[in-house]
Amino acid sequence: MKAETETAPVYGTPVEVAKDIRRLLCPNPSPMTYHGTNTYIVGRTDLAIIDPGPQNAEHLRALLASVEPGQRITHILVTHSHLDHSPLAAELSQRTGAPIYAYGASTKGRSAIMAQIAEAGLAGGGEGIDRDFVPDHTLADGKILSGSDWQLEVIHTPGHLGNHISLALGGCCFTGDHVMGWSSSLVSPPDGDLTDFMASCARLQSRDWSVFLPGHGDPVWEPKLRLEWLVSHRRAREASIREQLSQGAATAAQLARSIYVDTPPALLPAAERNVFAHLVDLHQQNEVSCSGPLGISAIFHRVG
């Protein structure tokens, strides 16, 4: 499923995407970030900044310049602490006095199985963890944050990262990297957990939404269809892994090369992490076993 829209990127200038919501695109395009990280500016008087982005002086200047007379930044919210979303929060807070809100530090919300895998030594992969990130205030699931003309509900949506949250504003949901319009989300153990990811998808599916505003790419105007695609995409990937393992035992790397046949070589390590995320999920369901400790280099066998 391709991106619903293909708007040309506009850097340095906020673009209105919904009533009282502006998007400021950070100039950090890459294969992992698409055109760049979306920073959202919510409100008319008291402003909430969602996902300030990476440490980027140009983006910081544009963000500060977007504050109009009579406005002030009162809240800085971070959906998750990957290096393309959270590092700028600290300097923005210093410059404005606004506190930083998030679910917690980078390992908060990590599942027990992923903590076990991390303890065994697996690290790295994905967009990179902001290990220095510490919010001023931690947010519990269901917490309501308010400004003079807005109210945001915290929805804990682990999967892409354990401390990942989405933020509901009426029928609009800021989905961070959990749901995007241009790509499926990367789930990279030990920071990402596919079991949690699918549960978070189901949770979002239980509510009616008018639009998703993602961390990368354009607004998703058909949220229900996008979630259905995201779940079916994962189920299809799972089926491919089962099929490959029916032909013989394999490592995550071997499976990735067999399944992601059109993927550029530079992206195969990320594909391997995605496959490993599925293997951990299938291992938890007793559908696959592995030789030795559960890890990315293990040889996996189909059960039954």
Side-chain angles (χ1 to χ4, degrees), residues 149-172:
D149 44 40
W150 52 264
Q151 193 173 74
L152 290 163
E153 175 194 354
V154 176
I155 305 172
H156 185 214
T157 48
H160 179 69
L161 194 62
N163 71 352
H164 194 291
I165 59 173
S166 298
L167 296 160
L169 180 65
C172 166

Side-chain angles (χ1 to χ4, degrees), residues 244 250-263 265 268-269 271-272 275:
Q244 290 293 324
T251 64
Q254 290 168 334
L255 289 166
R257 287 194 297 271
S258 298
I259 294 168
Y260 290 82
V261 291
D262 297 324
T263 298
L268 278 175
E272 179 184 354
V275 168

Side-chain angles (χ1 to χ4, degrees), residues 9-14 24-29 35 37 39 52-66 88 91-92 95:
V10 176
Y11 299 113
T13 302
L24 183 65
L25 181 60
C26 182
N28 63 322
H35 294 313
T37 301
T39 297
Q55 198 68 50
N56 184 295
E58 181 182 348
H59 190 56
L60 176 63
R61 286 193 295 270
L63 191 49
L64 292 171
S66 71
L88 197 60
E91 188 171 356
L92 182 63
R95 296 285 290 270

Side-chain angles (χ1 to χ4, degrees), residues 25 42 72 95 103 113 134 136 139 209 219 230-231 236 251 261 266 273 297:
L25 181 60
V42 180
R72 65 188 183 112
R95 296 285 290 270
Y103 190 74
I113 187 64
V134 180
D136 298 306
L139 298 171
W209 303 103
L230 195 57
V231 170
T251 64
V261 291
R273 292 294 181 116
S297 299

